[in-house]
Amino acid sequence: MKEKFRELVKKKNRIYANLELLHWDLETKTPVKSKPYLSDLVAELSMKEYELFTSDEFVNLVETLNKEKENLSEIEKKEIELSMEDIEKMKKIPADEYEAYAKLTSINQGIWEEAKSKKDFSIVKANLEKIFNYNKKFAEYRRKNEKNLYDVLLNDYEKGMDTQKLDIFFNELKKEIVPFLRKIQEKKKSLKEEDKINVPVDEDIQFKFAKYLADYVGFDFEKGVVETSEHPFTLNLNKNDVRLTTNNKRNIPFSTVFSIIHEAGHGIYEQQTGDELIDTLLGTGGTMGLHESQSRFMENIVGRNEAFWKPLYKKAQDFYSFLKDITFEEFSKQINQIEPSLIRVEADELTYSLHIMVRYEIEKMIFSGEVSIDDLPKIWNQKMVEYLGIEPKNDSEGLMQDVHWYCGLVGYFPSYAIGNAYASQIYNTMKKDFDVDKALENQDMKKVTDWLGEKIHKYGRLKDTPEIIKKVTGEELNPKYYIDYLKEKYKKIYEI
């Protein structure tokens, strides 16, 4: 029986790997006219996965093994637990609706790209409405005791998370970060800050530097590749095939720098999952919040740290020659400037979670029926003004900037802010074990990645995120460390 379970899991993983390959092609190299064909293939393969996981054979096998837990290994017990959860989710969604949704979300990425490039929300609005309606419908099918329909989706990405907990979390950030941002903006009025690091750089040079940085922080190119896409992302077939993308923007070369360090954080996590988890259901990272903690840790706590750049600055000048005219002290201040941005992926550390708050509040409003899809541009702009003091000039730099909603990732965004908080909490513990700044100055990234690998990465999905965080830091999610980290760092930089 165990052997049959292993055989079906292996088959499921092969389907998943082929789906990932199709997504990789769709988002990187697929010709425009071929996208509908590949989207059909995605829908067909998604149905194969759905049929396998809801088949009588698999369901009966899982239910039988669930009754014989005492005969299972730790890995097998967790696989059965997760399989029971997935079966319950998938069996409640009608097959024809599941297939239609898979096709819609696959083909809609190309439509979103067109709408974004033309700055025309009307092109993609109808499909976005369908995506939200499908998510509401699917959540209703699966609803148990949740008071809030939106909680069903939040739990998919962050097990145990709901709007009650997130409201407390975001209210704490709003109370502390929004007024602190205003203090900095007031102080900035007396400072002469000019942007010296975002000057035109050839995109090929940016890409070469991106690959250099990915390797430098610990991404293993024997197990991975880097490409370009409209929106940076990471995917994995298994720990030995992890793929990253970046988006090289000619006039914003440090957007490439921080996006690749971010994605490398995701990639290193995947590459460092335990070998024993290959060909199981556990050989990938945990919840989205934990995954984001690893990318945000790498991007900000490492990548914006002066100690990280000290030994790297001369090398950076070889790629970005304009840096030769900027002192290291100026450069360090430049990469840590606080300036509210319209674009989430280019946001500074302090304002980043405010971008997430905008998306979280809008998702809540959609699920409660407070707003319609037609209202979104106006609501988005109002919230950007309220929290960040800036307003988009068009929908491409507003509610069409992220691909997530348009490819079906609803309820995903809060994980970014949770990831920021986890990252600071993890950093607080890491500093007790060794001098992190000294390791960075000594170019000993391995000390950092080995620590993360041993404490977090090796478990994959074997342990739940709250268990990992409690074991590593000694407590559950606590935004205090994130707020303290931001205030301590930027009070020093802005002398306030």
Side-chain angles (χ1 to χ4, degrees):
M1 194 171 290
K2 286 188 190 180
E3 290 75 17
K4 188 61 181 176
F5 177 72
R6 290 261 63 83
E7 179 189 323
L8 292 178
V9 165
K10 191 172 182 179
K11 187 175 180 181
K12 188 261 183 192
N13 285 343
R14 297 294 185 269
I15 294 171
Y16 171 82
N18 278 287
L19 276 168
E20 291 289 81
L21 284 170
L22 285 171
H23 283 302
W24 176 260
D25 266 18
L26 275 166
E27 296 178 35
T28 54
K29 297 294 187 184
T30 301
V32 173
K33 291 193 174 180
S34 175
K35 288 190 175 186
Y37 175 66
L38 259 66
S39 296
D40 281 342
L41 292 181
V42 167
E44 187 176 327
L45 270 178
S46 296
M47 281 311 296
K48 295 280 186 191
E49 187 177 37
Y50 174 90
E51 288 162 1
L52 189 155
F53 250 55
T54 56
S55 68
D56 289 341
E57 179 183 29
F58 188 76
V59 172
N60 291 336
L61 193 59
V62 169
E63 288 177 348
T64 302
L65 287 170
N66 190 49
K67 293 172 185 173
E68 303 173 359
K69 287 181 182 175
E70 68 278 2
N71 299 321
L72 302 180
S73 68
E74 184 186 12
I75 287 174
E76 289 164 344
K77 284 178 185 174
K78 192 64 180 180
E79 287 184 290
I80 295 300
E81 177 193 323
L82 294 175
S83 294
M84 293 285 285
E85 291 174 3
D86 286 342
I87 288 166
E88 188 178 7
K89 289 176 191 175
M90 296 176 87
K91 287 204 78 161
K92 289 182 177 178
I93 299 172
D96 59 335
E97 292 183 13
Y98 186 90
E99 183 174 20
Y101 182 70
K103 186 171 182 179
L104 170 64
T105 53
S106 179
I107 200 167
N108 199 50
Q109 173 138 345
I111 297 169
W112 163 76
E113 287 177 9
E114 179 191 356
K116 186 181 178 187
S117 68
K118 292 180 178 177
K119 300 181 176 64
D120 187 353
F121 180 55
S122 67
I123 293 172
V124 78
K125 183 173 73 171
N127 275 359
L128 182 61
E129 186 167 24
K130 287 179 187 175
I131 284 170
F132 273 111
N133 286 340
Y134 267 120
N135 274 278
K136 286 181 183 179
K137 191 190 293 187
F138 293 169
E140 199 64 71
Y141 290 151
R142 295 167 44 213
R143 193 176 196 167
K144 291 181 186 174
N145 304 315
E146 293 88 355
K147 292 180 182 178
N148 191 317
L149 189 62
Y150 182 43
D151 289 344
V152 178
L153 299 183
L154 290 174
N155 188 67
D156 284 344
Y157 296 109
E158 210 60 39
K159 198 170 180 178
M161 193 57 67
D162 57 29
T163 45
Q164 186 177 358
K165 291 175 184 174
L166 280 174
D167 284 347
I168 293 169
F169 175 75
F170 280 113
N171 284 338
E172 191 66 22
L173 296 188
K174 193 186 300 186
K175 183 179 80 176
E176 297 288 343
I177 301 303
V178 173
F180 186 60
L181 171 62
R182 289 181 185 138
K183 276 186 182 179
I184 288 176
Q185 287 177 305
E186 192 60 38
K187 180 66 185 284
K188 279 164 63 74
K189 289 177 182 178
S190 63
L191 301 174
K192 288 185 178 179
E193 288 186 325
E194 74 178 281
D195 188 348
K196 295 183 178 181
I197 61 172
N198 285 315
V199 298
V201 174
D202 184 89
E203 290 176 21
D204 287 340
I205 294 173
Q206 290 190 37
F207 188 58
K208 286 175 184 173
F209 191 29
K211 290 179 75 174
Y212 175 85
L213 286 169
D215 176 70
Y216 183 88
V217 297
F219 183 70
D220 185 350
F221 277 92
E222 290 189 353
K223 300 178 181 178
V225 295
V226 175
E227 253 299 346
T228 59
S229 65
E230 175 63 24
H231 193 102
F233 68 95
T234 299
L235 61 75
N236 69 305
L237 311 190
N238 61 35
K239 70 172 290 180
N240 294 316
D241 190 337
V242 181
R243 304 178 180 211
L244 319 179
T245 70
T246 185
N247 185 303
N248 305 309
K249 298 176 180 176
R250 180 173 173 78
N251 295 321
I252 319 176
F254 272 86
S255 173
T256 300
V257 166
F258 293 113
S259 78
I260 196 61
I261 297 175
H262 177 100
E263 298 304 333
H266 283 304
I268 292 164
Y269 186 179
E270 294 292 343
Q271 290 178 339
Q272 293 200 139
T273 53
D275 289 343
E276 70 279 10
L277 303 181
I278 292 177
D279 271 337
T280 72
L281 296 173
L282 314 179
T284 187
T287 62
M288 291 299 102
L290 188 58
H291 229 305
E292 285 303 319
S293 77
Q294 301 308 285
S295 57
R296 299 295 288 173
F297 181 97
M298 205 57 79
E299 175 189 353
N300 289 323
I301 291 171
V302 171
R304 295 184 193 272
N305 191 323
E306 193 174 84
F308 173 76
W309 286 101
K310 275 182 182 176
L312 256 184
Y313 196 53
K314 191 172 187 312
K315 189 69 178 179
Q317 292 172 332
D318 292 340
F319 286 98
Y320 289 179
S321 58
F322 68 88
L323 292 177
K324 292 174 182 176
D325 298 324
I326 303 172
T327 66
F328 179 74
E329 289 70 25
E330 285 180 303
F331 166 77
S332 184
K333 285 183 179 178
Q334 288 278 304
I335 62 171
N336 284 296
Q337 270 194 40
I338 297 301
E339 188 62 53
S341 162
L342 292 167
I343 308 302
R344 174 185 64 86
V345 295
E346 291 161 16
D348 57 67
E349 272 186 291
L350 185 67
T351 60
Y352 185 91
S353 288
L354 303 183
H355 286 262
I356 303 306
M357 199 154 60
V358 168
R359 289 149 177 81
Y360 168 66
E361 291 183 358
I362 288 174
E363 286 186 340
K364 276 206 310 179
M365 292 169 82
I366 289 170
F367 271 75
S368 67
E370 290 177 59
V371 297
S372 70
I373 298 300
D374 289 329
D375 297 327
L376 290 192
K378 180 183 176 183
I379 298 293
W380 181 287
N381 292 358
Q382 285 174 345
K383 288 189 175 296
M384 287 296 289
V385 170
E386 181 183 355
Y387 297 139
L388 291 148
I390 49 178
E391 185 173 3
K393 295 190 286 293
N394 56 67
D395 293 332
S396 290
E397 58 185 28
L399 87 159
M400 287 198 299
Q401 65 180 266
D402 293 309
V403 71
H404 300 62
W405 288 344
Y406 304 90
C407 66
L409 294 175
V410 179
Y412 183 106
F413 277 117
S415 294
Y416 286 114
I418 292 167
N420 279 331
Y422 279 153
S424 297
Q425 201 165 325
I426 290 164
Y427 178 48
N428 182 67
T429 302
M430 184 187 284
K431 287 190 295 183
K432 294 174 185 175
D433 286 355
F434 65 93
D435 188 330
V436 180
D437 284 358
K438 187 175 179 181
L440 296 179
E441 283 192 37
N442 290 339
Q443 299 185 288
D444 191 2
M445 278 301 304
K446 194 172 185 301
K447 192 161 191 175
V448 174
T449 55
D450 281 355
W451 190 95
L452 294 170
E454 180 60 29
K455 303 280 187 181
I456 297 168
H457 301 169
K458 71 177 184 181
Y459 295 113
R461 298 178 74 201
L462 182 60
K463 295 185 185 297
D464 290 336
T465 294
E467 181 186 356
I468 290 174
I469 292 298
K470 184 77 180 284
K471 187 177 179 183
V472 172
T473 71
E475 56 187 304
E476 295 173 354
L477 172 66
N478 186 346
K480 171 187 179 295
Y481 296 101
Y482 178 43
I483 292 165
D484 287 351
Y485 162 77
L486 289 172
K487 285 190 167 183
E488 183 182 336
K489 178 174 179 177
Y490 288 99
K491 276 180 178 177
K492 184 178 177 184
I493 288 173
Y494 282 95
E495 298 177 351
I496 55 175

